[in-house]
Amino acid sequence: MANEQTATMAAVAFEHVTKRFGDVTAIDDVNLAVEEGAFVTIIGSSGCGKTTLLKTVNALVMPDEGRVLVHGRATSKLNPIELRRSVGYAIQGSVLFPHLTVRQNIGYVPSLLNQRDRVRTHEAVEKWMDLVGLPAELAERFPAELSGGQAQRVGIARALAASPDILLMDEPFSAVDAITRTSLQDELKHIHQQTGITVLFVTHDIDEALDLGDRVLVMEGGRAVQYTTPGEVLHAPATAFVERLVTRKQSVYAR
């Protein structure tokens, strides 16, 4: 009963989720709950199942076994289009609509939700441009006229513009330079503090995982091998793999 109650109260819950692609098991019996308002970073080696797990939340991937719950409701029982409109999704490279301006890209989903209420859509665009640090003068530019960092900010703003309470991010900052990446990380921390949104953030970077997340999920071979606070991952790695992952960071964080 306690596990059922935890899953019901969680923003996202994975109940013994397994996903296979042919003979390859991408996700292997993942069972955990993400609390409302948590910032969860998901880290592991390439091919460990991070992105596949993320995609089960918005039903881009459906599990072969187990189920995924979003606010207590199984994704298999939800309309996938409606689910995706209510869950923000930002990926590497932003993937903007090239024929739409910044304003139109950010306002795309709000315009669908608000229908003819253009004022409400306009307000949403202005709000999120400001929160992600985009100057107003960029609103009428097209994606080809933006820098990499600006385009990534537009992608984040677009993911947030429908005011979702869950944001999925798949290595969104990996294609930008180090200075821009630090700036984007700071903006994301600010947005999380301001909105209380639940964030699931996939990364290959242990620094990013430990610095951004208030919870860290470490995956290895499709399995969730540790799910805890950054400090616990550093001071009490659960497996030899986790220990190797954090060894070079321990001398900094353990002071």
Side-chain angles (χ1 to χ4, degrees):
M1 177 65 72
N3 287 340
E4 291 180 3
Q5 289 176 338
T6 300
T8 301
M9 293 184 293
V12 179
F14 303 94
E15 294 187 340
H16 299 287
V17 172
T18 294
K19 178 64 184 179
R20 303 180 187 87
F21 295 102
D23 295 331
V24 177
T25 301
I27 309 173
D28 189 0
D29 193 31
V30 171
N31 190 57
L32 59 91
V34 176
E35 296 179 357
E36 294 275 4
F39 195 130
V40 178
T41 50
I42 307 171
I43 190 165
S45 303
S46 296
C48 70
K50 303 184 300 294
T51 293
T52 302
L53 186 71
L54 196 73
K55 289 181 175 179
T56 64
V57 178
N58 61 357
L60 287 173
V61 170
M62 298 303 295
D64 295 316
E65 298 172 18
R67 62 179 186 164
V68 180
L69 304 178
V70 175
H71 299 306
R73 301 175 66 193
T75 56
S76 59
K77 305 296 184 183
L78 299 173
N79 180 311
I81 302 301
E82 294 301 317
L83 173 63
R84 289 167 201 156
R85 286 179 180 173
S86 65
V87 176
Y89 188 40
I91 63 176
Q92 179 180 338
S94 73
V95 193
L96 303 177
F97 299 120
H99 61 291
L100 300 182
T101 65
V102 167
R103 182 186 304 281
Q104 291 168 332
N105 264 283
I106 297 172
Y108 185 78
V109 173
S111 67
L112 295 176
L113 298 175
N114 299 333
Q115 297 181 345
R116 297 180 181 177
D117 191 344
R118 293 184 179 180
V119 172
R120 190 174 178 186
T121 297
H122 179 76
E123 289 174 348
V125 171
E126 288 197 332
K127 168 187 174 182
W128 289 111
M129 284 189 67
D130 181 58
L131 273 174
V132 302
L134 282 168
E137 57 266 26
L138 296 182
E140 304 308 322
R141 290 191 188 178
F142 289 90
E145 301 173 295
L146 304 175
S147 69
Q150 289 169 341
Q152 198 63 66
R153 289 174 191 271
V154 175
I156 295 169
R158 186 177 64 182
L160 290 165
S163 295
D165 52 11
I166 297 173
L167 176 62
L168 310 178
M169 308 190 81
D170 192 358
E171 298 192 68
F173 307 149
S174 60
V176 298
D177 63 86
I179 294 174
T180 301
R181 184 172 187 162
T182 299
S183 177
L184 287 167
Q185 290 169 345
D186 289 342
E187 294 287 357
L188 184 58
K189 287 179 184 178
H190 175 71
I191 289 168
H192 181 250
Q193 291 167 355
Q194 291 286 102
T195 65
I197 192 171
T198 303
V199 181
L200 280 74
F201 186 106
V202 167
T203 180
H204 273 102
D205 187 334
I206 185 62
D207 296 289
E208 190 168 62
L210 295 171
D211 292 344
L212 284 180
D214 52 53
R215 302 279 287 181
V216 178
L217 169 60
V218 185
M219 295 191 67
E220 180 185 10
R223 299 187 66 86
V225 295
Q226 190 162 14
Y227 179 54
T228 186
T229 64
E232 189 73 10
V233 169
L234 281 164
H235 298 299
T239 68
F241 171 76
V242 181
E243 187 169 9
R244 290 195 301 273
L245 196 64
V246 302
T247 293
R248 66 187 181 87
K249 293 294 294 180
Q250 287 174 335
S251 60
V252 176
Y253 282 84
R255 290 175 182 171

